Structure formats: structure tokens, C-alpha cells
Amino acid sequence: MLKLIDGKALSAKLRSGIKEEVAEIKAKGITPGLAVILVGDDPASQVYVRNKEKACIEAGMHSEVYRLPEETTEEELLARIDKLNKDDNIHGILVQLPVPKHIDEDKVIDAISVEKDVDGFSPANVGALLIGKEAFEPCTPRGCIELIKTTGVEITGKKAVVIGRSNIVGKPIAIMLLRENATVTICHSRTKDLKKEVRDADIVVAAIGKAGFITADMIKPGAVVIDVGINRMENGKLTGDVDQNALKEMDFDCYLTPVPGGVGPMTITMLMRNTLVSAKRKLK
Ligand code: NDP
């Protein structure tokens, strides 16, 4: 039987804990503040930014959103980041990616102070994650680990296969799974026998961006499958990288995060957690 991992429910539980902690730290004089910068009017990015803003406000955090026009120059964006770096009311800064083509994404990520890089994308935070030092962990991968843990399935010693090797999802989740003592394989578009690799996996993380790419016959009975993919279908609905309907028909047990309602809500929850952690550091 297919067991769906409820990312919405887990998020709601964690967010209520975050809200309580926000109230506690506010009582000590610090309101955790997150600034989100959106350049341009990409519809998907607008939705993500709105959801982040909403979640922040619901948790009692201070939220600032800068919606900048598409023609914003790199210099203007870097100047805005610099201002926020120096702003004591802001503990986390996030620039919604992708930025328009005329802006160098790496420069933008580098400009965010490491102490406020709650997305965990800066080279310093990525490096710290790699060598096991304290770091802001990228939100989507961290959310995936929490979702796996909620199943109660032990990660240590398991074979984990990550499909996708992007800097924001594939690579960091692979490092985190390694830290949790899984034996990790990273697959990508040049992998020779992807089906065989996935078929052997106890834990599968699909971060490809292709609807229904992971088919039911690729999944080992008992596996935990985390579907990071977000793909918009012609009818406007969202779907993941895993063929959920086919998996439902299989006569074996396995776990799957649904799309929507799986990884997505957890990404925002982890962003809030990172912002709270950043604000708490100011107390010390
Ligand atoms: P990228 O496009 O940066 O990376 C996709 C990866 O998939 C690449 O490493 C690519 O391999 C691999 N890939 C593509 N085609 C194949 C193939 N045929 N076989 C094997 N591997 C393949 O995407 P992201 O990592 O940024 O995002 C992945 C998905 O996750 C997207 O759908 C995105 O929308 C979603 N996402 C969801 C989030 C959430 O909050 N739920 C947050 C972030 C992303 P190669 O490197 O060889 O090209």
C-alpha cells in the first residue's frame, strides 16, 4: 500500500512550535525578521514569495518584501542587499531565484551576508555543510530529511539515491543523507542505468523537474520516496517527478511525498526555522 507522507501536517506542527519560539524571543526584545527580494514578475516566483510572506506573518515574524521591476540593474540589487545586510531588524535575506538574465546570480548570492543567508546557498554555508560545521542548511533539502524522518524509517546504513545534482537541491540533499549515514548515489542526465540505480534504493529523492519521470517499476518495495519536483501540467495543476497514480496501484508498501502537499510546505517551514535560528544568535 502507498503511504503518503503529509508535508502539510508536519509543516503545521513545526510552524506552531516556531510560532511559540518567536513569541518567546519577541518577549526578550528581538523580532525575527526576514527580507525577501523578488526581481521581475515570474508568476511561479510571485506565488512562492507570497507564501513565504504569509508564513512569516502567521508566525509573528517581521516580514519585508521588495518587489523590484524586471529592469532592475545588478548594482541596484546589490545595493539593496547591502542595506539589508546592515539592517538590525533583518535576520534573514532571501533573493528569489532565478533572477533575470542580466544579473549575475553568483554575485547576488555572494553579496548576502553569511550570517543572514537563511537559504544556505552561499559558498561559505555550502562549504560548512560539506565539512560538517554549523551552517544554514538549504531549506528544501532540510525539509526532505525531516520528511524521511517522520516515517520512522532509519536512514543509517540505507542505500539512498538522489536524482538531480543541482546546487540548491540534489547536491546538498546528498551531503545531508551522507551525514545521516546513508550510502549515497547521485544520478543525473549522464547516468548509465538510472532504472537499476533507483530500483536498488531504500530512499529515493527525485529532484529532476520532469513530470512522472520516476515510474512505479523503478521503486523497490518498502522504499521511502521523496518527490521534490514541481511540474505544471497543461490543465494548470501541479505534479511531481514521481508517477504517484501508478505507485498507488502497486501491491507493495512504500512511502511517498505527494505534490502538492509534500516537500513544498516544508521548504517554507525550514526557511522560517533558519530565520528564527539567525535571530536567536543575536540574543547570545
Ligand atoms: P535543475 O534543473 O537545476 O536540476 C535538474 C537535475 O535533474 C539536473 O541535475 C539534471 O542532470 C537532472 N536530470 C534532468 N534530466 C534527467 C534525466 N533524464 N535523467 C536523470 N537526471 C536528469 O533543477 P532543481 O534542482 O532546481 O529542481 C528540481 C525540481 O525540484 C524542479 O521541478 C523544481 O521546480 C523543484 N524544486 C522544488 C522545490 C520545493 O520547494 N518543492 C524547491 C526547489 C526546486 P544534469 O545535471 O546532468 O543536467
Side-chain angles (χ1 to χ4, degrees):
M1 203 183 79
L2 177 64
K3 299 174 201 164
L4 292 177
I5 308 172
D6 191 341
K8 263 194 193 163
L10 181 60
S11 276
K13 190 174 140 205
L14 294 173
R15 284 186 200 187
S16 104
I18 289 170
K19 192 174 178 172
E20 280 172 25
E21 285 192 59
V22 168
E24 282 168 25
I25 184 175
K26 270 170 122 172
K28 291 175 185 161
I30 293 183
T31 302
L34 175 71
V36 178
I37 306 175
L38 170 64
V39 187
D41 46 18
D42 175 67
S45 293
Q46 283 178 351
V47 174
Y48 297 145
V49 167
R50 214 177 304 131
N51 288 343
K52 286 167 188 172
E53 183 180 23
K54 205 170 137 232
C56 246
I57 293 167
E58 276 170 13
M61 292 184 177
H62 169 63
S63 163
E64 289 182 15
V65 178
Y66 297 89
R67 292 181 173 84
L68 308 180
E70 178 84 21
E71 55 278 10
T72 302
T73 65
E74 190 176 282
E75 290 68 32
E76 285 167 337
L77 177 57
L78 295 178
R80 168 61 60 195
I81 293 170
D82 188 47
K83 251 190 175 170
L84 293 166
N85 279 340
K86 293 172 181 151
D87 186 339
D88 287 341
N89 293 318
I90 296 299
H91 305 95
I93 303 170
L94 176 156
V95 177
Q96 185 66 43
L97 301 178
V99 286
K101 287 199 174 58
H102 64 275
I103 296 176
D104 183 341
E105 191 172 292
D106 289 342
K107 262 196 196 167
V108 170
I109 292 172
D110 270 346
I112 300 170
S113 138
V114 179
E115 292 78 38
K116 297 190 180 187
D117 172 35
V118 284
D119 244 347
F121 291 165
S122 71
N125 269 317
V126 174
L129 178 71
L130 188 66
I131 60 174
K133 291 262 159 67
E134 194 180 328
F136 283 123
E137 295 182 334
C139 304
T140 300
R142 185 66 234 169
C144 293
I145 297 286
E146 301 289 338
L147 287 161
I148 297 168
K149 287 190 170 171
T150 193
T151 64
V153 170
E154 175 76 47
I155 302 177
T156 293
K158 294 289 163 57
K159 180 175 165 69
V161 168
V162 178
I163 310 116
R165 55 174 164 179
S166 72
N167 290 338
I168 60 167
V169 190
K171 280 183 203 155
I173 180 87
I175 296 166
M176 288 179 195
L177 284 163
L178 182 64
R179 272 196 351 205
E180 297 284 341
N181 301 313
T183 301
V184 184
T185 302
I186 306 175
C187 297
H188 46 77
S189 65
R190 311 285 178 90
T191 298
K192 281 239 165 74
D193 193 347
L194 186 107
K195 209 168 200 165
K196 180 182 172 301
E197 297 291 347
V198 178
R199 179 80 203 168
D200 282 345
D202 306 299
I203 296 166
V204 178
V205 181
I208 310 151
K210 290 191 172 155
F213 186 83
I214 303 295
T215 49
D217 60 322
M218 290 167 133
I219 302 300
K220 177 175 161 180
V224 177
V225 185
I226 305 296
D227 192 351
V228 183
I230 301 176
N231 309 289
R232 195 166 287 280
M233 294 188 295
E234 273 177 16
N235 63 7
K237 288 199 171 154
L238 296 181
T239 189
D241 288 346
V242 179
D243 186 348
Q244 182 180 323
N245 287 332
L247 210 49
K248 221 187 290 175
E249 301 303 319
M250 303 307 269
D251 57 2
F252 56 74
D253 285 352
C254 69
Y255 291 94
L256 173 70
T257 57
V259 178
V263 175
M266 284 300 288
T267 296
I268 299 185
T269 304
M270 295 301 106
L271 174 69
M272 292 158 69
R273 187 149 91 182
N274 280 350
T275 306
L276 174 64
V277 166
S278 179
K280 275 184 163 176
R281 285 186 188 155
K282 291 283 161 214
L283 273 183
K284 290 183 187 157

